[in-house]
Amino acid sequence: MNMRAVVMQRGILSVAEVPMPTAGPGEVLVKTLATGICGSDLHTVAHGEKLLASARAVAGIEIFNPNDQIVLGHEICAEIIDYGPQCKRTHAIGTRVISAPFLIRPQPVTLGFGALDTPGGYGQYMVLSEAMLIAVPDHVPSDVATLAEPLAVAIHAVNRGNIDAHAVPIVIGCGPIGLAVIAVLKMRGVGPIIAADFSPTRRATAAKLGADIVVDPRETSPYESWRSAAKTADLAAFSRQTPMFPGFAYRPSVVFECVGAPGMIQRVLAEAAPCSKVIVVGLCMEQDSFQPSYAIMKEIDLTFCIAFTITEFNEAFANIASGRLDVTALITGHVGLSAVPDAFVRLADPEKDVKIVIYPQDA
């Protein structure tokens, strides 16, 4: 039996008829209801060879075979169709579920980078590990449920920052992950939050999601905005002090670099306040460089992060389901499978879309 799917092969997307996957032991066959297009999907299509080379050099792994037909999609909401062998059948057939994008197998599988036997959410059907399933309450729309994954990435980034209660954060880059970081910071009561992006549309979305001060960096430095917002006479709220910057009368600074372009790290190190925490969330696919002396003299903590833990994924969805995180403003469009290649083009223009969700059952 076949299904329709958007497949990637050598960086080219196309709609194809492919075999339906088969649920193995402890696995569930699901009908894919909604799948978010992630920035990493855009990177994989546009810079697949660089992504593969990085993973090979750093971790000694092959994320996928570029010669295979790959079915992307790891931000998913689906409906249980059938159970494979050795399942507990905890959820009834027809239950809507989400899952962190992994299959629990002797050789674990990262969904969204698998070949046709373990497809991601760009196909009409998938297999998921029963142990990873989370039921979606009736009041949560399927498209909103897919946001658990990018919000888990944002929660992980904020957790990696280990943010001081007095901190004034700056978010550089208001793409989907930068916007999700803003939403998480607002939920946790950190602020005021300063957001910077060239795009008027994304600046407006940042304000909707909780940014208190939103700037166009061509006109206003986010770091100067930080100085205005973080100035304080409260000694208890002062940032950590160093001999090179005595009496620095400002609250702690934390900068989330969510752009991932060459030169961004050096720009942040040059302009950020002393003793800042810099959390690098943006995935730069090019070789880059920075001057360590900037970070050394300012005693800046530089932290890198990727993905999330299962606990953070569960926390993200719990906050969506409870209403503590209202992130519907992230979703700016919906498409069926045939329009996915065009959606990738739309997402290259920040004035057109932020997050597009695929409805794989639609043409």
Side-chain angles (χ1 to χ4, degrees):
M1 191 172 176
N2 287 344
M3 67 174 186
R4 296 178 74 241
V6 174
V7 298
M8 179 194 71
Q9 192 169 30
R10 285 287 173 188
I12 303 297
L13 295 174
S14 61
V15 181
E17 290 281 333
V18 300
M20 278 184 60
T22 301
E27 295 175 353
V28 178
L29 177 67
V30 298
K31 178 170 69 175
T32 317
L33 301 177
T35 303
I37 298 177
C38 178
S40 64
D41 296 341
L42 304 179
H43 275 27
T44 299
V45 172
H47 308 290
E49 291 293 346
K50 292 178 181 177
L51 179 64
L52 290 170
S54 294
R56 193 179 300 123
V58 173
I61 60 173
E62 297 292 338
I63 299 177
F64 61 89
N65 185 337
N67 295 312
D68 288 342
Q69 289 186 310
I70 304 300
V71 183
L72 299 171
H74 55 274
E75 302 175 359
I76 59 103
C77 178
E79 176 186 332
I80 296 174
I81 299 300
D82 199 7
Y83 282 93
Q86 301 175 29
C87 284
K88 297 179 180 178
R89 298 178 174 261
T90 304
H91 304 290
I93 299 295
T95 300
R96 286 187 309 141
V97 294
I98 63 165
S99 172
F102 309 104
L103 284 180
I104 303 170
R105 291 185 173 182
Q107 183 66 40
V109 175
T110 301
L111 294 168
F113 296 98
L116 299 185
D117 58 335
T118 55
Y122 287 23
Q124 292 182 312
Y125 295 89
M126 304 176 65
V127 291
L128 301 174
S129 290
E130 183 186 30
M132 301 284 284
L133 300 182
I134 302 173
V136 177
D138 290 343
H139 70 274
V140 179
S142 295
D143 60 345
V144 174
T146 69
L147 297 176
E149 200 276 347
L151 281 164
V153 173
I155 286 173
H156 182 66
V158 173
N159 286 347
R160 289 279 285 149
N162 192 23
I163 298 172
D164 186 281
H166 299 290
V168 176
I170 304 173
V171 178
I172 306 296
C174 296
I177 296 302
L179 292 168
V181 167
I182 290 168
V184 171
L185 290 169
K186 178 60 71 172
M187 179 188 71
R188 293 188 176 180
V190 181
I193 302 165
I194 299 160
D197 200 285
F198 293 128
S199 163
T201 297
R202 295 195 173 183
R203 291 198 301 272
T205 307
K208 287 180 184 177
L209 290 171
D212 300 287
I213 301 167
V214 182
V215 301
D216 180 344
R218 288 168 295 205
E219 299 175 356
T220 305
S221 165
Y223 305 97
E224 287 304 314
S225 297
W226 177 88
R227 283 179 172 268
S228 298
K231 184 74 174 176
T232 183
D234 181 0
L235 292 176
F238 273 18
S239 171
R240 179 168 58 86
Q241 304 288 298
T242 71
M244 190 165 284
F245 297 91
F248 192 71
Y250 294 87
R251 293 163 60 182
S253 164
V254 56
V255 182
F256 292 89
E257 194 285 280
C258 301
V259 178
M264 284 303 304
I265 294 176
Q266 175 59 27
R267 192 174 308 170
V268 172
L269 295 180
E271 299 189 47
C275 300
S276 290
K277 291 182 176 181
V278 177
I279 316 302
V280 181
V281 191
L283 177 60
C284 181
M285 298 303 300
E286 307 296 330
Q287 188 168 357
D288 199 4
S289 64
F290 61 85
Q291 292 181 253
S293 61
Y294 282 67
I296 291 168
M297 291 182 183
K298 292 183 178 181
E299 286 202 355
I300 285 176
D301 295 333
L302 187 58
T303 299
F304 296 83
C305 58
I306 190 170
F308 48 83
T309 67
I310 297 301
T311 299
E312 289 165 336
F313 181 87
N314 294 342
E315 178 188 345
F317 186 67
N319 285 319
I320 291 173
S322 70
R324 291 192 70 211
L325 271 174
D326 181 2
V327 285
T328 54
L330 281 174
I331 300 173
T332 55
H334 302 82
V335 296
L337 288 179
S338 61
V340 169
D342 178 65
F344 271 60
V345 176
R346 284 166 50 186
L347 286 165
D349 183 346
E351 296 309 308
K352 290 185 177 178
D353 283 284
V354 176
K355 168 76 69 176
I356 295 176
V357 175
I358 304 165
Y359 287 148
Q361 303 306 317
D362 293 350

